[in-house]
Amino acid sequence: MVIIGGGIQGLSIAFNLFEQGQRDILVLDAGYFQGGASGRNGTLIRPGFASVAWTELFVLTVREWESWSKRLGENIMFTQRGYSVISEQEKSEAMLLEGLKVQQSLGVRSRMLTRREIDDLLPAINKSRVRAVQHQTDGGVAPHHAVMKGLLAFCHRNQVDVRYRTRITGLERTTSRVTAVLVGEHRIEADCIVACAGPNNPDIAALAGVALNGFGMRIEAMALEPTRPLIKPAIALIDSLAYFHQTSRGEVVGGTEVPERPRMSLKVDLPVMANMAKVYLDMFPQLGEVRILRHWAGQLHASSDFAPLLGEHPQLKDLWFSAGWSYGFAGAPAAGKLLAEAITKGRIDHRMQPFSLDRFEKTGPIVEGGIVLA
């Protein structure tokens, strides 16, 4: 088994393949440890969305998050402090109410908060801007440094070969399947190749001579200096396109999205920082005097409907993808489990079926109104 990409997606797949009894697993990554989106994200995790497909996938991912510390033998610091999705407009409130029905039908512990509950859970929020709050009890956060450390430590203990700064230079294929990975002058034969290389996934597909839906996106985030506790749960502002939480050190960490799609790079933009600061100030006025500590950018490969692309490429056997992610950090445990089971058992789980690579030709895009993306 060769896995291209050593972020949380790749290491989750390696971990789950090992649990499924696979050995001789090789993970290759062109960059450095946590150099991609797995070290540049908001770390927020939620079980519920507005569609059945997304909610079923993320109910599974939260269940997996709950078991990872025990299974990995490492504390990944997943804290289920809750996840509040906040509406500022009538249209988004209606979406939250419809999504609530979907979530509750699938067993998600989710409810709309009363005004008194909002006062208790979010005492510092600017309530004049809040129209409705959907609260998901089992959501929370997991710091990426603890999660990635735990996954890599598991791989090292169990002889899963993980190599960073090792760039793929080619893929060999026959008419119907991929057969080997090329790294410079080295040729590595493989029974199965899994690509989960974030913004580089389309390039991996091109090396095999096939196409992959989607486009590159850049996301930006920032951290504020520590302050007294103001924010209890993880928060998504569905209309302001913002998401953030307060860490145990008191830093408010999160990001906002802007409608424009900026160039693909890791350079940050001042207008994005200003937009983020305005959202923070509008929703939590007490943050007005707090300074910005860090501001950074990350890259991802988003599918045209922003839903993940999970499964074997329809035109080439033994080439699998975990791509197209806009919630890739949060969804990695479910993706790793479902892909590992599909590869080892030859069975596609019903929670993975909607996210097939050829859904745009067969069933159409997945409509999901609960994601916080521009």
Side-chain angles (χ1 to χ4, degrees):
M1 301 284 179
V2 174
I3 298 168
I4 304 172
I8 190 171
Q9 291 283 336
L11 297 186
S12 173
I13 294 166
F15 162 52
N16 279 276
L17 282 171
F18 186 89
E19 285 198 327
Q20 291 290 326
Q22 292 296 313
R23 300 296 181 265
D24 198 14
I25 303 167
L26 173 63
V27 181
L28 302 173
D29 192 295
Y32 57 90
F33 180 57
Q34 295 193 75
S38 296
R40 301 166 181 270
N41 60 79
T43 74
L44 280 65
I45 298 157
R46 62 192 271 203
F49 288 83
S51 66
V52 171
W54 273 74
T55 301
E56 283 191 326
L57 182 66
F58 278 82
V59 166
L60 173 62
T61 211
V62 168
R63 191 180 309 140
E64 290 292 293
W65 276 109
E66 290 170 342
S67 69
W68 262 22
S69 286
K70 183 176 181 180
R71 288 158 57 198
L72 289 169
E74 301 279 341
N75 182 12
I76 63 165
M77 299 172 66
F78 175 42
T79 57
Q80 290 177 288
R81 62 183 66 176
Y83 191 112
S84 293
V85 187
I86 297 171
S87 159
E88 301 169 65
Q89 300 175 13
E90 184 178 355
K91 182 179 179 180
S92 56
E93 180 184 14
M95 183 276 297
L96 292 181
L97 289 169
E98 285 300 309
L100 184 68
K101 298 175 186 176
V102 171
Q103 294 167 23
Q104 292 180 342
S105 72
L106 296 171
V108 177
R109 294 200 297 163
S110 182
R111 70 186 192 279
M112 303 301 293
L113 298 184
T114 65
R115 283 290 158 179
R116 179 172 293 182
E117 288 174 322
I118 293 172
D119 289 341
D120 179 60
L121 191 66
L122 299 165
I125 201 166
N126 181 0
K127 296 174 184 62
S128 68
R129 295 185 63 93
V130 176
R131 187 176 181 94
V133 177
Q134 181 198 88
H135 184 71
Q136 302 173 19
T137 304
D138 296 327
V141 297
H144 51 72
H145 61 276
V147 177
M148 290 294 289
K149 173 182 175 293
L151 284 166
L152 188 61
F154 178 92
C155 289
H156 286 165
R157 285 198 309 271
N158 292 285
Q159 288 75 55
V160 174
D161 193 353
V162 182
R163 302 194 183 198
Y164 292 96
R165 301 197 183 278
T166 307
R167 184 179 299 276
I168 301 298
T169 54
L171 294 175
E172 281 190 8
R173 55 171 289 181
T174 63
T175 304
S176 60
R177 65 176 297 267
V178 288
T179 56
V181 171
L182 304 179
V183 179
E185 297 180 352
H186 299 275
R187 178 179 181 275
I188 306 163
E189 290 188 3
D191 296 319
C192 175
I193 297 170
V194 188
C196 42
N200 299 307
N201 276 318
D203 299 327
I204 301 300
L207 288 176
V210 294
L212 189 66
N213 175 276
F215 54 90
M217 269 190 74
R218 186 177 65 179
I219 56 175
E220 297 187 37
M222 70 183 186
L224 308 184
E225 66 179 339
T227 185
R228 64 185 177 85
L230 289 173
I231 305 169
K232 296 179 183 178
I235 288 179
L237 303 173
I238 201 76
D239 299 297
S240 297
L241 297 175
Y243 43 88
F244 48 90
H245 72 285
Q246 190 167 19
T247 71
S248 58
R249 292 185 305 218
E251 298 176 358
V252 175
V253 178
T256 57
E257 302 299 324
V258 292
E260 298 80 16
R261 289 180 188 161
R263 67 194 183 281
M264 289 294 285
S265 78
L266 295 180
K267 293 182 179 180
V268 297
D269 282 342
L270 185 60
V272 177
M273 182 190 293
N275 180 73
M276 205 178 311
K278 183 179 186 303
V279 171
Y280 284 172
L281 184 61
D282 287 344
M283 297 304 295
F284 290 91
Q286 297 94 326
L287 295 175
E289 300 302 317
V290 178
R291 293 174 296 178
I292 297 169
L293 285 182
R294 300 181 300 279
H295 182 212
W296 64 94
Q299 299 178 129
L300 54 85
H301 162 240
S303 71
S304 56
D305 62 2
F306 295 98
L309 301 164
L310 297 174
E312 192 173 32
H313 198 284
Q315 299 173 8
L316 201 58
K317 288 187 176 300
D318 300 323
L319 178 61
W320 296 72
F321 281 91
S322 182
W325 282 99
S326 54
Y327 280 68
F329 179 82
K337 177 182 177 64
L338 295 177
L339 281 167
E341 289 181 352
I343 291 167
T344 58
K345 299 178 181 177
R347 183 178 68 248
I348 305 298
D349 188 280
H350 77 278
R351 292 164 291 193
M352 182 170 145
Q353 284 176 341
F355 302 100
S356 64
L357 277 65
D358 57 358
R359 64 177 177 270
F360 304 98
E361 295 77 31
K362 291 187 173 180
T363 58
I366 298 171
V367 178
E368 172 53 63
I371 57 176
V372 187
L373 275 175

